């Protein structure tokens, strides 16, 4: 089943985000390579493609897991969480209706 993972950043966590990004991206690439990643990306903190020093307010991941427990376990092991980027992480089942 598909699950949505929403990570909400701590304010002022841009430096920690940049430092942990390579490990975070490597995990997403592994999901992609396994055919289990639908989409992923950050939420700019301002209305701009490149928010510069304003940074990001969080991230969205839509990926396939065996169960919600598996999705939560994967999310709990995210380098952004370990680095203190995320203040909280929410995991929800997702059913795509369109397109």
């Amino acid at each position: 089943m598909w699950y949505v993972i929403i990570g909400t950043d701590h304010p002022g966590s841009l430096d920690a985000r940049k430092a942990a990004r390579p490990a975070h991206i490597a995990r997403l690439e592994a999901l992609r390579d396994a055919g289990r990643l639908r989409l992923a990306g950050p939420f700019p903190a301002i209305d701009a493609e490149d928010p510069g020093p304003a940074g990001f307010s969080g991230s969205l991941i839509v990926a396939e897991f065996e169960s919600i427990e598996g999705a939560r376990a994967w999310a709990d092991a995210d380098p952004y969480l370990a680095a203190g980027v995320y203040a909280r992480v929410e995991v929800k089942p997702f059913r795509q209706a369109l397109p």
Side-chain angles (χ1 to χ4, degrees):
M1 181 163 184
W2 294 98
Y3 295 90
V4 63
I5 300 169
I6 302 169
T8 302
D9 288 16
H10 282 285
S13 62
L14 182 58
D15 288 341
R17 177 182 268 272
K18 288 178 180 178
R21 188 174 188 275
H24 173 79
I25 295 297
R27 295 179 79 236
L28 291 170
E29 288 172 338
L31 283 178
R32 179 201 61 204
D33 294 348
R36 296 173 43 210
L37 182 64
R38 178 70 43 95
L39 68 97
F43 300 123
I46 60 173
D47 188 13
E49 182 70 26
D50 178 357
F56 300 91
S57 63
S59 301
L60 172 75
I61 299 164
V62 179
E64 186 176 33
F65 294 92
E66 295 278 331
S67 65
I68 195 163
E69 293 82 13
R72 285 187 181 130
W74 188 91
D76 287 346
D78 194 301
Y80 280 176
L81 193 58
V85 175
Y86 290 155
R88 70 179 183 279
V89 176
E90 193 173 2
V91 178
K92 296 181 178 188
F94 177 75
R95 192 182 79 194
Q96 183 173 347
L98 294 170

